[in-house]
Amino acid sequence: MARNIVHMALPMTVAQLINILYNVVDRMYLGRLPGHLALTGLGLCLPIISILMAFANLCGMGGAPLCSIHRGRGENGEAERIMGNSFALLLLFGAGLTVLCLAFRRPILYLFGASDVTFPYANDYLTIYVLGTVFVMIGLGMNPFINSQGFSGMGMLTVALGAVVNIVLDPIFIFLLGMGVRGAALATVISQACSAVWVLCFLTGRRVILRLRPAALRLRWARVRRILALGASGFAMSMTNSLVQVLCNASLQVYGGDLYVGVMTVINSVREVISMPVQGITNGCQPVLGYNYGAGEYGRVREGIRFTTVLTVGYSLAAWALVMAVPELLIRIFNSEADLIAAGIPAFRIYFAAFFCMSFQFIGQSVFVGLGRSKNAVFFSLLRKAFIVAPLTLLLPALGMGVNGVFLAEPISNVLGGLACILTMYATVYRPLGRQ
C-alpha cells in the first residue's frame, strides 16, 4: 500500500505544486511592480478564483473516486459514464460562471474588500481571467480522471505544461509588453487553455483505460447526484475557503487598510505552496483506498490510512518549523517593501502558529472521500472554515484584537477542526474496518 500510495502521490504532489504556480507566479511578478497595489488587487480576485476552482473540484473530485470504486468492482462501463457526466457538468458550470462573473464583477469586487484605489487592478485581472473559466473547468476538473486510472505521471504533465507556459509568458506580457496585471491574467488563461487541450487529447486517446466518449455525456440524475454528493466535500472546502478570504479581506480593509490586504495576499500565497504537498499526498491516497475498498481489501485500506497519516503529519511539522523560523525570507519572495515586511512578520507567526494541525483535516477528509462517505466529508469541510474560522474572523477583531484577531482565527480552527475530523475518521472508519 505504501508503494502504491507513493506511486500515485508523488506525481500528484508535484502536479499540485506546479498547479499553484499558475497564480503564485503571477503574484511574484506583480509584487515586483512599484508599490503593493497590483499585488493587493490580485489578492482581491483570489476568492473568485477559489469559487471557480470549487466548481471544478465538485465534478472532478466527485467523479474520480467513484471511477476508482467502479474500476475496483470491474464495472468499467459505469466508470466511463461517470467521467462523461462529470465532463458535461464542467462545461455547464464553466459557461454559467463566465456570464455571472462578467456581469457582476464590479459589485463583487467591492463586496470582497476592494477600494477605489485597488479596484482598477482587480478589475483588469478578473475580466481577462474569467474568459478562461471553461479552460479552468476542463484542466482542473478532468485531470483527476487521468490520475484515477493510474496515469499519475501524465496528470503531472498536464499541470506542468500549463505552468511552464505561464512562467514563460508572464514576464513577456507583464514587463516587456507593459500590460501589467492584464498581462498576468492573459498568460494564465493561455496556459490553462494548453492544459485543457492536453487533458482532452489524452482522455480521448488510445492509452487510457476509461475513454471520454460522446455517448457518455448524456446526463442521468442518479449519476449526477452521486458525483455532486461526493464532490461536495472539495466544493465546500473551496467555497468556505473563498468565504473566509472575503471576510478576511473585508475585515483587514476596515482595521488595517490596503496594506494588510496585501499581507494576507502574501500569506495565502505561502500557505498554498506549503500545503500543496499535503493535498498531493492525501489526494494521491484516495484512488488507492477507493480501489481496495471496492475490492473488499479492508486490511490494506487501514494500512494505507496509517501510512498517509505518518507521511502527512511529518511533512506538516517540517513546513511549520520553516515558516515560523524565516517568515521574512518568505515574504521577500513576493514583495520587499519595508512596511509590508514589518506588518507581515508578526502576522505570519500568528497565522501559521498551528499549521501542522491542518494535516489532520486533510487526512480525515481524504479517507471519507476515498471511501465514498460524502456526508462526513462535507460536514468537516464546513466545520473548520464556515463554523469556526468565519465567525472568529468577525468576532475577534471586534473584541479589540484588530488585525491580529483576523490572523488568529486560522490557528484556532486548525486545532479544533483538525482534531475533530481525524478523531471522527478513526472512530467511524479505521476501527470498524479492523473488525471487518
Side-chain angles (χ1 to χ4, degrees):
M1 285 296 289
R3 184 175 63 253
N4 289 335
I5 290 174
V6 170
H7 175 75
M8 291 296 298
L10 185 59
M12 290 179 71
T13 301
V14 175
Q16 294 275 17
L17 285 169
I18 296 172
N19 191 42
I20 282 300
L21 291 177
Y22 277 131
N23 294 312
V24 169
V25 168
D26 288 347
R27 296 168 218 172
M28 292 170 64
Y29 281 122
L30 292 177
R32 297 293 175 254
L33 294 175
H36 58 263
L37 294 179
L39 181 65
T40 301
L42 176 55
L44 295 169
C45 299
L46 297 183
I48 301 173
I49 294 172
S50 293
I51 291 172
L52 300 181
M53 295 175 65
F55 279 92
N57 288 331
L58 177 63
C59 303
M61 301 309 294
L66 290 176
C67 279
S68 296
I69 292 173
H70 282 286
R71 278 190 62 225
R73 296 172 180 169
E75 300 168 352
N76 285 0
E78 178 60 18
E80 284 192 346
R81 287 186 285 273
I82 289 172
M83 181 169 65
N85 276 216
S86 299
F87 180 68
L89 289 171
L90 287 167
L91 295 180
L92 292 174
F93 286 138
L97 290 168
T98 299
V99 174
L100 288 174
C101 289
L102 288 176
F104 299 103
R105 63 187 184 278
R106 184 180 183 87
I108 289 174
L109 287 172
Y110 273 103
L111 178 65
F112 285 10
S115 65
D116 291 339
V117 177
T118 57
F119 173 77
Y121 296 95
N123 184 60
D124 285 348
Y125 187 89
L126 185 63
T127 300
I128 295 175
Y129 184 92
V130 166
L131 294 175
T133 299
V134 172
F135 300 140
V136 176
M137 294 290 119
I138 295 173
L140 184 61
M142 293 305 294
N143 204 41
F145 292 95
I146 296 178
N147 295 323
S148 69
Q149 298 181 56
F151 298 102
S152 52
M154 188 61 63
M156 179 184 68
L157 291 177
T158 300
V159 291
L161 172 64
V164 170
V165 172
N166 197 29
I167 292 171
V168 172
L169 293 182
D170 257 338
I172 296 175
F173 290 165
I174 295 172
F175 302 112
L176 186 61
L177 300 181
M179 296 178 66
V181 292
R182 290 176 298 169
L186 181 59
T188 301
V189 168
I190 294 174
S191 64
Q192 289 167 342
C194 293
S195 293
V197 172
W198 176 278
V199 168
L200 291 180
C201 288
F202 186 76
L203 287 177
T204 55
R206 297 181 178 180
R207 290 183 56 189
V208 290
I209 301 169
L210 307 175
R211 188 174 300 172
L212 185 60
R213 306 176 191 273
L217 301 186
R218 188 173 181 180
L219 296 175
R220 288 287 184 272
W221 171 241
R223 201 172 290 125
V224 168
R225 184 176 56 198
R226 293 178 64 207
I227 294 169
L228 298 182
L230 193 54
S233 169
F235 178 77
M237 180 173 285
S238 294
M239 289 296 287
T240 52
N241 185 51
S242 178
L243 168 66
V244 169
Q245 287 179 351
V246 170
L247 293 177
C248 285
N249 286 343
S251 297
L252 291 172
Q253 185 64 247
V254 172
Y255 293 99
D258 291 332
L259 174 64
Y260 277 92
V261 177
V263 169
M264 180 56 77
T265 302
V266 176
I267 286 177
N268 282 328
S269 302
V270 173
R271 175 182 54 81
E272 288 174 10
V273 172
I274 64 174
S275 65
M276 271 305 115
V278 177
Q279 294 187 40
I281 294 167
T282 52
N283 287 344
C285 80
Q286 288 178 18
V288 179
L289 296 180
Y291 183 90
N292 283 276
Y293 184 74
E297 297 286 349
Y298 302 129
R300 291 172 62 80
V301 174
R302 281 167 52 93
E303 181 186 346
I305 294 173
R306 290 194 301 270
F307 176 76
T308 302
T309 301
V310 172
L311 188 60
T312 303
V313 173
Y315 164 80
S316 298
L317 286 170
W320 167 78
L322 174 66
V323 175
M324 299 301 287
V326 290
E328 181 177 348
L329 178 63
L330 297 174
I331 295 172
R332 286 185 179 276
I333 295 174
F334 296 92
N335 192 277
S336 57
E337 287 198 352
D339 56 347
L340 192 142
I341 293 174
I345 290 175
F348 257 67
R349 291 206 165 106
I350 295 172
Y351 187 91
F352 289 104
F355 170 78
F356 57 90
C357 290
M358 187 177 67
S359 63
F360 300 149
Q361 173 95 20
F362 281 105
I363 294 165
Q365 282 200 209
S366 67
V367 173
F368 290 137
V369 172
L371 304 188
R373 299 171 66 100
S374 57
K375 292 182 180 178
N376 299 95
V378 171
F379 172 78
F380 286 106
S381 292
L382 294 174
L383 174 66
R384 190 173 77 87
K385 288 289 189 179
F387 300 142
I388 301 178
V389 178
L392 290 178
T393 299
L394 298 175
L395 180 63
L396 295 180
L399 292 177
M401 300 186 67
V403 294
N404 288 339
V406 177
F407 299 120
L408 185 60
E410 182 71 12
I412 294 175
S413 75
N414 286 339
V415 174
L416 297 179
L419 288 176
C421 185
I422 197 168
L423 291 176
T424 302
M425 182 275 292
Y426 175 80
T428 62
V429 176
Y430 185 82
R431 289 191 66 184
L433 284 177
R435 292 192 291 268
Q436 294 181 40

